[in-house]
């Protein structure tokens, strides 16, 4: 049976669906609404050391900076579900500084945003396997919280090399895109196969119905992050999806803790 309350990096999630970074998760009010909703976790907007402005960008790094979230994270934790801080920076040191500060503030899991174009231009994490190893090992050595790496939709290395680098560096979780290109298996599916159980995969993107979520979860993805549907529908989307999943699997998912 598909687990709807997964354990990921030794953390129990009360539901397998959660918001994706940046989807109604920038301000305190938005984050508190996520915490009160049926979402299985609260995932913050990507956080940089200081307030970041990126006029014109759709999914960039605009956020009020680390200090703002240090205040909010203890409040979010009171709702009893995992708090995931998405972290970004233009250097390895910036990532580490933000992640260490947010770990001290009580974050359960740090999501390293290697998805953003700004991060690619400045940090070059996928320039080579050696560079990825250098970047990831620096994070692992210096950040105490469990780490998850969010991959970009297209990675200029083989997914097998990426998986082995993450496993070698004791990274327990990877966020992968649920969609594939040109009819190929999705990135999440390819990573699941390459990881052979050594990494927990959280799928990101392309989900707005319970049927879509169930199909992905049944293939072994542990949890799903939802972006556009949260923005379009608000945090009430999680109650709808929980109900739809319950109908599909014949369980009263409203009885799951949230
Ligand atoms: C308004 C908005 C802001 C976003 N901000 C971030 C962000 O700060 N960090 C990040 O890693 N992804 C960000 N994303 C990307 C989402 O986390 C997610 O990967 C993407 O929307 C795909 O999911 P979807 O198909 O469900 O929309 C953002 C997406 C949206 C719609």
């Amino acid at each position: 049976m598909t687990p709807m309350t997964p354990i990921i990096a030794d953390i129990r999630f009360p539901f397998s669906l959660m918001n994706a970074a940046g989807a109604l998760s920038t301000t305190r009010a938005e984050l508190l609404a996520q915490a009160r909703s049926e979402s299985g976790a609260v995932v913050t907007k990507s956080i940089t050391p200081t307030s970041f402005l990126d006029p014109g960008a759709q999914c960039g790094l605009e956020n009020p900076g680390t200090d703002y979230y240090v205040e909010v994270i203890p409040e979010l934790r009171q709702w009893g579900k995992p708090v995931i801080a998405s972290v970004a920076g233009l250097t390895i040191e910036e990532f580490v500084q933000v992640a260490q500060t947010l770990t001290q503030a009580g974050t359960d899991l740090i999501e390293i945003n290697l998805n953003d174009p700004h991060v690619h231009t400045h940090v070059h994490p996928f320039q080579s396997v050696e560079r990825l190893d250098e970047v990831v090992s620096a994070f692992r050595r210096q950040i105490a919280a469990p780490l998850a790496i969010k991959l970009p939709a297209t990675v200029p290395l083989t997914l097998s090399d990426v998986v082995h680098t993450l496993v070698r560096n004791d990274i327990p979780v990877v966020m992968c895109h649920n969609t594939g290109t040109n009819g190929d298996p999705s990135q999440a599916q390819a990573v699941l196969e390459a990881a052979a159980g050594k990494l927990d995969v959280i799928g990101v993107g392309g989900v707005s119905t319970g049927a879509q979520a169930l199909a992905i979860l049944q293939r072994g993805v542990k949890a799903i992050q939802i972006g556009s549907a949260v923005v379009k529908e608000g945090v009430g989307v999680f109650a709808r999806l929980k109900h739809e999943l319950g109908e599909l699997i014949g369980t009263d998912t409203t009885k799951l803790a949230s």
Side-chain angles (χ1 to χ4, degrees):
M1 189 173 145
T2 310
M4 290 294 153
T5 56
I7 295 175
I8 300 170
D10 293 328
I11 303 163
R12 164 73 69 182
F13 285 67
F15 184 40
S16 46
L17 307 186
M18 67 189 83
N19 71 289
L24 300 185
S25 66
T26 303
T27 66
R28 172 178 175 271
E30 288 172 341
L31 289 163
L32 283 170
Q34 297 285 2
R36 286 189 206 105
S37 78
E38 298 291 321
S39 175
V42 183
V43 185
T44 69
K45 173 76 187 165
S46 289
I47 303 170
T48 49
T50 52
S51 138
F52 196 100
L53 293 173
D54 181 17
Q58 289 283 314
C59 300
L61 302 178
E62 314 79 14
N63 76 96
T66 306
D67 289 350
Y68 181 88
Y69 295 97
V70 165
E71 301 283 318
V72 180
I73 281 166
E75 225 182 325
L76 297 174
R77 293 199 78 222
Q78 291 173 13
W79 293 86
K81 59 179 74 168
V83 176
I84 302 178
S86 170
V87 167
L90 302 185
T91 62
I92 291 177
E93 292 71 28
E94 284 191 1
F95 270 98
V96 169
Q97 179 196 331
V98 176
Q100 286 179 339
T101 308
L102 296 171
T103 300
Q104 276 174 8
T107 303
D108 295 288
L109 182 69
I110 297 285
E111 175 176 319
I112 300 279
N113 180 357
L114 297 187
N115 181 46
D116 193 273
H118 288 288
V119 172
H120 291 198
T121 324
H122 290 81
V123 183
H124 307 291
F126 299 104
Q127 195 171 51
S128 64
V129 176
E130 292 71 27
R131 178 61 180 163
L132 183 61
D133 195 71
E134 184 182 9
V135 169
V136 169
S137 66
F139 295 150
R140 185 61 292 165
R141 275 196 317 275
Q142 298 178 77
I143 303 167
L147 293 182
I149 304 288
K150 184 171 182 180
L151 298 180
T154 314
V155 185
L157 298 171
T158 70
L159 287 175
S160 165
D161 278 340
V162 172
V163 163
H164 289 128
T165 306
L166 300 187
V167 171
R168 190 165 57 244
N169 285 290
D170 291 328
I171 303 294
V173 187
V174 59
M175 276 81 185
C176 299
H177 293 260
N178 287 321
T179 42
T181 41
N182 305 325
D184 291 341
S186 71
Q187 182 186 67
Q189 202 54 39
V191 166
L192 267 175
E193 276 159 34
K198 294 191 181 119
L199 281 172
D200 285 338
V201 175
I202 297 182
V204 187
V207 170
S208 59
T209 68
Q212 290 166 336
L214 185 60
I216 291 167
L217 293 170
Q218 281 175 332
R219 290 188 210 117
V221 164
K222 285 259 178 125
I224 298 174
Q225 294 187 336
I226 299 177
S228 308
V230 171
V231 174
K232 187 169 164 220
E233 208 173 318
V235 297
V237 72
F238 294 108
R240 173 176 69 76
L241 293 173
K242 193 178 259 191
H243 176 73
E244 287 178 16
L245 278 167
E247 300 238 297
L248 288 164
I249 62 176
T251 304
D252 185 359
T253 45
T254 57
K255 296 216 172 88
L256 297 175
S258 66

